[in-house]
Amino acid sequence: MAGVLTESILNMLVNDMRPISMVEDEGFKQMVTTFHPGYTLPSRTNFTKLMEGKYEATFGKVKDALKATKNKIALTTDAWTSVATEAYLGITCHFISDDWELNSFCLTTMPLEERHTGTNIAAWIEQAVERFEIPPSKVVAVVHDNGSNVVLTAYILQEKHGWVSVRCAGHTLQLVINRALKHPQISKALGAARCLVEHFKSSELASSKLKTKQKQMGTPEHKLVQDVSTRWNSTYYMVTRLLE
């Protein structure tokens, strides 16, 4: 029974992406004791070892699955920055199973401490592919955004391995719409819309009065939406909510 409980807590930490230090929190300890008074909660060190073991086992399963498939594999790659301004590179692989089901595995989310040049990114992608023992001939394409360094990365990999370069349709659409939104009349209207939203977002009094009016009119008590420059649909949602 103790083993089942420990495994359950470990799965919770992994699936919910909780810090291992959570097992040392008093509230968590009290909750576990309430559920099972006779259970001795393993230490943080033990959970760290168990998580490392789970990682190795999962890593082996992914590697076996990639080795077992006879179909071609496509890669997607994206460099991004966390809220703590730390840069990472995510690499995911995708393939169709014999039952025509899409399978996807995250190969790595690696911190980037060197310059994000096309040559470096190409090398990091090759390292991830090699680590999972994927033959280069098995990779058919790399999907990426339109950043000049990543476009160069794709070119390097295409020249070296023959991997087809595929620009992300979503990112390309974003660039097209962004250009359209810069039209003077559209830009002016959106600027006014943003000023309205920012007013209600920054003023507790205005936000409270808006909520009161919504109650009086019997309309949904929805909040205004602030758009984000990298998501064109957020601008659409902002305007739609304002019109409402």
Side-chain angles (χ1 to χ4, degrees):
M1 182 63 180
V4 173
L5 288 172
T6 300
E7 182 69 16
S8 179
I9 293 171
L10 180 64
N11 287 335
M12 181 270 294
L13 293 172
V14 172
N15 294 331
D16 294 345
M17 299 179 71
R18 301 298 182 190
I20 301 179
S21 60
M22 184 177 178
V23 300
E24 295 179 338
D25 294 342
E26 288 304 317
F28 184 79
K29 289 179 179 178
Q30 290 174 13
M31 180 189 70
V32 172
T33 301
T34 302
F35 290 160
H36 197 291
Y39 174 66
T40 302
L41 186 67
S43 67
R44 176 177 174 174
T45 304
N46 279 341
F47 272 109
T48 300
K49 290 178 180 176
L50 290 171
M51 190 171 289
E52 288 171 351
K54 181 173 278 291
Y55 169 81
E56 292 299 331
T58 305
F59 178 82
K61 288 179 182 177
V62 171
K63 201 158 66 169
D64 290 343
L66 294 173
K67 193 177 291 185
T69 182
K70 297 182 180 67
N71 299 321
K72 293 288 186 177
I73 294 171
L75 303 175
T76 56
T77 182
D78 186 32
W80 54 279
T81 305
S82 72
V83 291
T85 64
E86 296 170 332
Y88 293 89
L89 177 69
I91 303 172
T92 311
C93 72
H94 316 268
F95 64 92
I96 303 294
S97 71
D98 292 337
D99 298 324
W100 284 93
E101 290 183 357
L102 177 64
N103 286 265
S104 299
F105 295 111
C106 177
L107 301 184
T108 185
T109 302
M110 61 182 293
L112 302 182
E113 297 171 351
E114 298 178 41
R115 292 182 61 215
H116 312 166
T117 64
T119 303
N120 284 344
I121 297 173
W124 294 329
I125 293 174
E126 287 178 320
Q127 287 170 15
V129 168
E130 183 180 352
R131 187 161 174 262
F132 280 87
E133 298 178 8
I134 304 171
S137 59
K138 208 170 188 177
V139 178
V140 66
V142 180
V143 180
H144 55 88
D145 62 24
N146 295 277
S148 57
N149 56 341
V150 187
V151 171
L152 176 58
T153 295
Y155 175 77
I156 292 171
L157 295 173
Q158 189 168 22
E159 287 292 300
K160 190 173 180 180
H161 303 292
W163 302 348
V164 178
S165 168
V166 181
R167 300 197 185 201
C168 172
H171 189 263
T172 303
L173 180 63
Q174 175 72 37
L175 295 178
V176 171
I177 295 176
N178 273 356
R179 186 159 186 175
L181 295 180
K182 288 178 182 177
H183 185 281
Q185 287 179 305
I186 297 175
S187 180
K188 186 177 179 180
L190 290 178
R194 290 188 186 103
C195 284
L196 274 171
V197 174
E198 285 168 8
H199 171 68
F200 284 95
K201 289 284 185 182
S202 60
S203 171
E204 189 177 335
L205 178 61
S207 182
S208 178
K209 285 188 174 181
L210 175 61
K211 197 170 184 179
T212 301
K213 286 291 183 183
Q214 288 172 324
K215 284 182 179 178
Q216 290 174 352
M217 297 176 71
T219 58
E221 294 178 28
H222 292 153
K223 293 183 179 180
L224 293 175
V225 177
Q226 183 73 68
D227 69 339
V228 182
S229 60
T230 54
R231 296 286 184 272
W232 69 267
N233 54 345
S234 68
T235 303
Y236 169 76
Y237 294 140
M238 178 184 71
V239 174
T240 303
R241 185 57 55 82
L242 268 174
L243 290 173
E244 177 193 309

